Amino acid sequence: ETVARLSELKRKKAAESNASMVKASSFGWNAEDSTAALQAAIDSGARKVIVDWRDEGDWVVSSVVLRKSNQEIAIADGVTIRGKADSTADALLTIPQGVTNVFLHGIVTAAIAVENGDRRPVIQILGGENVAVTDLTIVSDACDRIKFPDTVKNLKIDSIIYKKPHDWPKRRYSHLLNLER
């Protein structure tokens, strides 16, 4: 019985890694820290990862590395990936050297935000080829909101809106509160 369960788990994991599209929430979600779930979705090997809407709140992460080539990361409409205030990571999202054909984009009102006073880059591209970052609102006080060296080949950064943290409100959870008087 144990061998059968292990075989089934291996089969499911293999199917996930060969999937053409996954939703990040299928790997879990936590209101205080969703780093592991988002990183697992990206590491799954799916060609498209959708960071989907969670009624419960934003995707709060320490740092996520987009280490897979030939991958599209789509942040759904209304979703904010928010950096943890206590993170010591160099950047919120990092694309390491050697990664190619990465498309990071938002859909309508998607945003990536770091806390007020957090001066680290929001997106750090360390190298690679055919990297596109488009259609996002980036919320940060940092000077280098998107940081990249001159060695990145075929880099496209387009349709980015920059805002200060005081211009981007945190989500309100009034629907979860009992407002009876």
Side-chain angles (χ1 to χ4, degrees):
E1 183 180 329
T2 303
V3 172
R5 279 192 284 155
L6 286 174
S7 296
E8 179 66 16
L9 286 172
K10 284 183 181 178
R11 186 190 63 73
K12 284 183 179 178
K13 186 151 183 95
E16 285 175 355
S17 68
N18 294 327
S20 61
M21 183 193 77
V22 296
K23 289 185 176 181
S25 63
S26 66
F27 292 84
W29 181 86
N30 182 303
E32 294 175 15
D33 190 347
S34 293
T35 305
L38 186 54
Q39 190 66 64
I42 291 166
D43 291 346
S44 72
R47 294 188 64 75
K48 183 174 185 176
V49 176
I50 299 173
V51 184
D52 50 324
W53 174 262
R54 301 296 304 166
D55 283 337
E56 300 88 354
D58 296 334
W59 285 83
V60 178
V61 299
S62 298
S63 178
V64 176
V65 180
L66 310 178
R67 54 181 149 237
K68 297 288 184 182
S69 292
N70 305 311
Q71 194 170 49
E72 174 185 355
I73 311 297
I75 304 169
D77 184 23
V79 171
T80 298
I81 297 175
R82 189 175 301 278
K84 286 186 72 169
D86 61 352
S87 177
T88 58
D90 290 340
L92 185 58
L93 298 175
T94 299
I95 300 172
Q97 198 164 8
V99 175
T100 61
N101 304 316
V102 173
F103 181 36
L104 171 65
H105 68 96
I107 301 169
V108 188
T109 61
I112 301 175
V114 295
E115 296 297 324
N116 196 10
D118 191 346
R119 302 262 184 222
R120 64 186 165 147
V122 178
I123 300 171
Q124 178 175 252
I125 304 166
L126 300 175
E129 186 173 348
N130 299 327
V131 175
V133 180
T134 66
D135 303 309
L136 286 169
T137 297
I138 295 182
V139 183
S140 173
D141 277 335
C143 293
D144 291 332
R145 294 173 181 133
I146 300 177
K147 185 177 180 180
F148 57 91
D150 293 338
T151 58
V152 180
K153 296 177 184 173
N154 298 324
L155 174 63
K156 177 184 178 184
I157 298 174
D158 190 30
S159 299
I160 304 294
I161 298 170
Y162 295 107
K163 294 200 177 252
K164 294 288 186 181
H166 62 271
D167 293 333
W168 193 259
K170 290 189 177 185
R171 279 173 65 184
R172 305 286 183 236
Y173 306 105
S174 59
H175 65 283
L176 300 176
L177 302 173
N178 183 358
L179 298 177
E180 295 177 8
R181 295 181 186 233

